[in-house]
Amino acid sequence: MSALGAAAAVLLVATLVIVVLKPEPVLGLIVALGGVIGAITVMGIVSKRMTRKAFGPEKK
């Protein structure tokens, strides 16, 4: 749930940027794509941190 919440926050920020700035269509698409990429990245970071906190660091 934490990873999904973080991703939703990133998508909310991207949406607010689009609504407030009202960019031209191509720039709006780039902002939306950046939001999706940011959401995926944040989901990965949050889930990795939570997993490492629960199970400890990687053992080699």
Side-chain angles (χ1 to χ4, degrees):
M1 292 300 284
S2 296
L4 289 175
V10 171
L11 290 174
L12 179 66
V13 169
T15 303
L16 289 175
V17 167
I18 291 172
V19 168
V20 170
L21 296 180
K22 296 181 183 169
E24 59 186 54
V26 174
L27 187 57
L29 184 61
I30 291 170
V31 171
L33 183 61
V36 170
I37 291 170
I40 293 169
T41 303
V42 168
M43 284 177 66
I45 291 169
V46 170
S47 64
K48 183 179 270 189
R49 281 185 158 190
M50 289 180 67
T51 302
R52 285 191 177 159
K53 189 173 183 178
F55 296 110
E58 291 182 34
K59 298 193 181 199
K60 294 183 179 180

